Structures are given as structure tokens and as C-alpha cells.
Amino acid sequence: NFDTLVYRKKLFVDELNVDSLYASIFKDKRKAINLKRIAEYPGQKIKKLKLPVMIKNVRATNISVDNDELKPDGTHAKVKVANINAVISNYTNIDSIVPMILKGSGYIENKAYFDIQLAFSYQLPQFNFNGTIKKFDLTDLNPLLKSYAPVHIKKGIVDQITFSGIAYKNSSAGTLTFLYYNLDIDLELKER
């Protein structure tokens, strides 16, 4: 709505579409967290925009994200999330009791399909979350699991993983259900 932007200095958009987005994220876990630079949740960040904004929907398709973490021991932990489709609804800094909603789905390492929903409060620094990971062969994620934990999956099928909860500024609470069968795991424990 360009008239509103030009004459009233407000940005109103019904729908914004983004396609074929690639993001690469790197985190160096060897560096201490700077507690003075903790990011705000989106609800609080959006409220600080000076220009009044109301975007009803942002649709993003064909997104890929590569995450690379340099762990404290100097090794890398990597995960690829691909074929992501997402919708953000109610992106606004105009008074709203309705939260900003992010719904998304995609594939972890092109093996495990997930869908997730996040609801970011505009009033409080918190968000609700819930999600599901569908049935997959857990051995397909061995490279990913091994980069984060001393574990090797010999065999096992995940029927479903569901989770839900709420995240606050300094804590979180929730539930997780992990349904599986024929699970055979090797834990690589080391003496200190």
C-alpha cells in the first residue's frame, strides 16, 4: 500500500513472497557469551521499529540453512536443513494482542521431515513452540549426531518426535515425546 507509506508514513503489506533463500550460519563456541549482547525476541525487536509496520504474511519457499559450530574442543558440528517452507503471520509493531506466528517445515540432513510452529508474544519476552519430526531411520543422522555427542546409532527407527513448550527470557519449560523401536546405540564414554 504505497499511498499509506508515502502520505501517512506507515508500511502496510498484505503478502511478501521470498523464494530460493540460502543462509550459512557460523558460531564459535570457544568464545565466551557476551551477556551484554543477548538478542531480544522478535516481538520486542519489532516493537522498537520507528515506522509503523503491518505485514500480514511473509511466505518463504525453498530455503536452505547450513549451520556450522566450532565446539570448545576445536571440532566442528554441522547440520543442514533444506527444503524449508515457512510463513510468518502478523508481523507488526502496531498494538496487537495476537502474537506473531511462524510456521515452517523442512528436512534435517535431507532425512528427517519436521514441522514447527512458534508464537512470539508482543507483550512479553517469550514464545510458545510446538513441533513434530516424522518417521525416519535414525542411522541416517549418524554424522550429525556424532558431531554433537559421543554416540553411534547401530540401528533404530524413530516413529515420531513431538515437542511443545514455552521459552522465557531466562528459562523454558515443555514436554518431549520420543517414539522409537529397534534402537541399538553405542555410547563412547571417555575417562577423565
Side-chain angles (χ1 to χ4, degrees), residues 75-141:
T75 61
H76 285 267
K78 297 180 181 184
V79 62
K80 293 180 182 217
V81 185
N83 299 320
I84 303 168
N85 294 307
V87 176
I88 298 172
S89 303
N90 194 40
Y91 182 97
T92 186
N93 61 358
I94 299 169
D95 288 338
S96 177
I97 58 169
V98 177
M100 180 180 73
I101 304 290
L102 184 149
K103 293 181 182 179
S105 63
Y107 286 87
I108 302 166
E109 295 292 323
N110 289 320
K111 303 294 182 184
Y113 177 81
F114 71 90
D115 60 65
I116 190 165
Q117 178 174 312
L118 307 171
F120 293 94
S121 170
Y122 285 116
Q123 287 74 37
L124 300 167
Q126 66 186 45
F127 65 92
N128 294 332
F129 59 90
N130 63 66
T132 302
I133 301 174
K134 303 290 185 186
K135 185 175 183 175
F136 67 97
D137 186 336
L138 196 52
T139 61
D140 290 340
L141 295 187

Side-chain angles (χ1 to χ4, degrees), residues 15-23 57-65 81-88 102-107:
E15 187 158 298
L16 178 63
N17 292 299
V18 179
D19 183 49
S20 301
L21 179 68
Y22 171 76
N57 289 304
V58 177
R59 294 187 189 282
T61 54
N62 197 24
I63 304 168
S64 294
V65 178
V81 185
N83 299 320
I84 303 168
N85 294 307
V87 176
I88 298 172
L102 184 149
K103 293 181 182 179
S105 63
Y107 286 87

Side-chain angles (χ1 to χ4, degrees), residues 30-96:
R30 298 173 305 167
K31 296 182 178 180
I33 295 173
N34 183 347
L35 296 176
K36 294 179 183 175
R37 296 190 66 204
I38 301 294
E40 292 179 286
Y41 286 145
Q44 286 60 57
K45 220 171 171 136
I46 295 165
K47 293 292 264 183
K48 291 184 177 180
L49 296 174
K50 294 191 185 333
L51 179 72
V53 174
M54 165 52 100
I55 302 174
K56 290 182 183 176
N57 289 304
V58 177
R59 294 187 189 282
T61 54
N62 197 24
I63 304 168
S64 294
V65 178
D66 288 347
N67 186 71
D68 181 5
E69 294 182 17
L70 185 57
K71 298 190 312 186
D73 66 2
T75 61
H76 285 267
K78 297 180 181 184
V79 62
K80 293 180 182 217
V81 185
N83 299 320
I84 303 168
N85 294 307
V87 176
I88 298 172
S89 303
N90 194 40
Y91 182 97
T92 186
N93 61 358
I94 299 169
D95 288 338
S96 177

Side-chain angles (χ1 to χ4, degrees), residues 160-164 175-179:
Q160 188 178 59
I161 300 172
T162 58
F163 53 91
S164 64
T175 60
L176 171 80
T177 303
F178 180 41
L179 304 175

